[in-house]
Amino acid sequence: MFCKLAVRNVRRSMRDYTLYFLTLMFGVCVFYVFNSLESQWVMEALAVNNRNVNYTGAILRLVNVISVFVAVVLACLILYANHFMLRRRKKELGTYLLLGMTQGKVSRILFLETLCIGLLALAVGLVMGFFAAQLLSAFTASLFQVVVEEFTFVFSWKGVGKTVLYFAVIFLLVMLFNAVTISRKKLLDLLQARRHNQRLHLRSVTASAVMLAVGVALLIAAYTMLLRRGLLRVDELFWLMLAMGAAGTLLFFRSLSGFLLKLCKSNQSLYYRGLNCFILRQFNSAINTNYLSMTVVCLLLLLAIGVTACSVGVNYTVENKSDRQTPVDMTVFVEADGLTAGDLADLLREAGFDPETCLEEYTAVRRPVLRLEGEDREVWETMFIHIMSLSDFNSLRVLRGEGPMTLASDRYGLAVGTEPEENMDPQKDGWAEGKPLRIGDETYQADPEFCYTKALYTSSSSIDTTFILPDQVMEALRPEDVVILDFFLAGNYPKGAEEEMETLLWACYPDFCDGLAQRVGGFSMNFSTKQVEYLDTMGTKLLVLFIGLYLGVIFMVTSAAVLALQQLSQAADNLPRYQVLSRLGVEERMRDRSVYTQIFLAFFLPLSLAVVHSVVGITAANEVIVQLGKLDTVSSTVTTAVIILLVYGAYFAATCAGARRMVRGQ
């Protein structure tokens, strides 16, 4: 009997609480997708292809840690949603007690109902997660340009086990919460639940104005501290700043109930237009009751917007940096004495990699490092500078498909590898100011048109600023003028044989090191290739993007679901009031507009303040992100806005439809 009753109750209530079920289902889906990564074919392919760093392991470990936090967030959401479901059904549960059921039997019915909803949401969520995981794998493979000979569907039993375990614990907490709630409620309280309004005493306009002023002052102080101190200084003041921001948000929403209605009543044409007086009183009562939850929702939205925007921003920034720092397919760097630029090709050939046949085009150049003394050191604010001949510089440009540049015999240019506005240093500043450069007995003036802002060769490190000088300067250099000699061999693989040549190059690496050690004494060397740098960069990109989207979507869904459940519960509680409006002759269109307006205010008031918070937070975060490279704020803003529109907008539309159906008594 209990099972039949529980199933009937679930079937009857599914229409009213569709958003609750969809939230559970979506939570299961997202949780399975990210916890099944370990078993997906794309992760195995990446682990094999990445020669230097196993980013897949870092991603999986971090996902495991984040999943615990996500499970806590989902548990709080489900308990919160369950509280509204119980509140909606208190009269029904009181009727069971009135008919002679014991509290234990009522708790058993709720246990079975929760079990039915949980199993159904778990089953549907896992099915959705299975297909979503395949899409995520395909997306990841496209990021890394992994070629898949045969696509296979992978069902992760480990991911299923973790999902079932976490959600079993969550639903066990829900069942215990239901049992405790029923055991503490009296029959009269349950039967008269809908007659009781959750209300707080209204504060005076003066007190509310003071709270608003204090709240705004706290927010401004928190904003100022964040912008001045930055995001990376985590100390006592950092936590004080967070506390001030949270307290300011709370006071902002708490103060609205004191003067919002009074402010609107002062404008009688607005207050008495249509159903505005009814809407404003309803919304004022909602703020008075739910200001704490609106504060929590606002902070969750802040986290959702901030995490999503920053992860997307890092994604685009790292990708742009990777493209800029890998102009050619491979670069061999050697720092040693007793070599010439041509020796690098000979050493590679002896190790089994002949540049003449293994590379479509290549060039070998040298870059001496000179020491500045006395006044020159003070002028350029550095002890050492890198120089390169114009011919070597142009030969590297040819590999990029660019034409040669010219330079007068008494001029110098600059190759900086970054955009002019990025990472300003004394050497770029000196060139921009036209400072002269003295080499030996000759002085060279800055060429105002010669500042090359692209990378000359492939490298994982930041590009060193290099002075470009006429060829005769290099020829006239004395050995005592040179502190260190750097050599580069850069080239591009033949089209269609990139993977084969990449494998061959790394296979000759040990023999190349041995041959170099036999030819010179001490040396420093490095192999850099576009494929390795790309995998390295994409690993960082994927790590940040996965975690950012994982947390951002969960926070967004949680905040939207809390608001949706609140509004649906309030719509059900307000049904008698709408019935009175109907009997008074208010048109159905006006009643629907009243519902939409209240839901709009409930959804977009926390979102508006969260956007203000996030603008300040993202500004501080961008100061950190810009250190990685050029920042693309437009892309991150557009992507975040699209996610908000899809997730938050979908919940808003579904809430409007559900609330309208309720007030119409359908």
Side-chain angles (χ1 to χ4, degrees), residues 424-492:
M424 296 300 292
D425 61 35
Q427 297 176 33
K428 285 189 283 186
D429 292 341
W431 167 84
E433 296 170 6
K435 291 181 179 179
L437 176 66
R438 188 169 61 182
I439 306 292
D441 298 328
E442 300 293 332
T443 300
Y444 300 88
Q445 302 297 324
D447 187 332
E449 303 297 327
F450 200 124
C451 185
Y452 191 72
T453 59
K454 301 177 183 178
L456 294 173
Y457 49 86
T458 296
S459 174
S460 59
S461 61
S462 58
I463 305 301
D464 298 315
T465 300
T466 303
F467 287 89
I468 309 301
L469 294 165
D471 292 353
Q472 64 268 20
V473 179
M474 305 295 290
E475 297 170 359
L477 280 179
R478 298 170 300 179
E480 57 268 24
D481 296 332
V482 179
V483 179
I484 302 172
L485 263 179
D486 296 341
F487 299 96
F488 297 90
L489 188 148
N492 292 314

Side-chain angles (χ1 to χ4, degrees), residues 315-328:
N315 171 65
Y316 284 113
T317 301
V318 171
E319 184 175 357
N320 290 335
K321 181 181 180 181
S322 174
D323 293 339
R324 189 174 65 241
Q325 291 191 175
T326 56
V328 292

Side-chain angles (χ1 to χ4, degrees), residues 515-567:
L516 184 60
Q518 294 175 6
R519 184 166 301 194
V520 297
F523 66 90
S524 175
M525 59 85 59
N526 182 46
F527 276 27
S528 297
T529 67
K530 180 179 290 188
Q531 289 192 26
V532 169
E533 299 304 325
Y534 186 79
L535 286 173
D536 188 3
T537 302
M538 289 299 106
T540 304
K541 171 181 173 179
L542 193 63
L543 178 63
V544 174
L545 190 61
F546 270 12
I547 301 304
L549 293 180
Y550 191 12
L551 291 177
V553 171
I554 288 296
F555 287 143
M556 186 70 68
V557 169
T558 301
S559 55
V562 167
L563 289 174
L565 292 167
Q566 269 188 357
Q567 294 307 303

Side-chain angles (χ1 to χ4, degrees), residues 50 107 202 333 338 408 467 471 474 501 507 513 522 534 549 583 639:
N50 197 340
S107 298
L202 294 176
F333 163 77
F467 287 89
D471 292 353
M474 305 295 290
M501 295 300 104
C513 293
Y534 186 79
L549 293 180
R583 288 195 292 268
T639 304

Side-chain angles (χ1 to χ4, degrees), residues 278 574-586 591:
F278 174 78
N574 292 331
L575 179 58
R577 298 178 178 87
Y578 284 100
Q579 291 174 344
V580 171
L581 290 178
S582 178
R583 288 195 292 268
L584 290 175
V586 177
R591 300 198 303 272

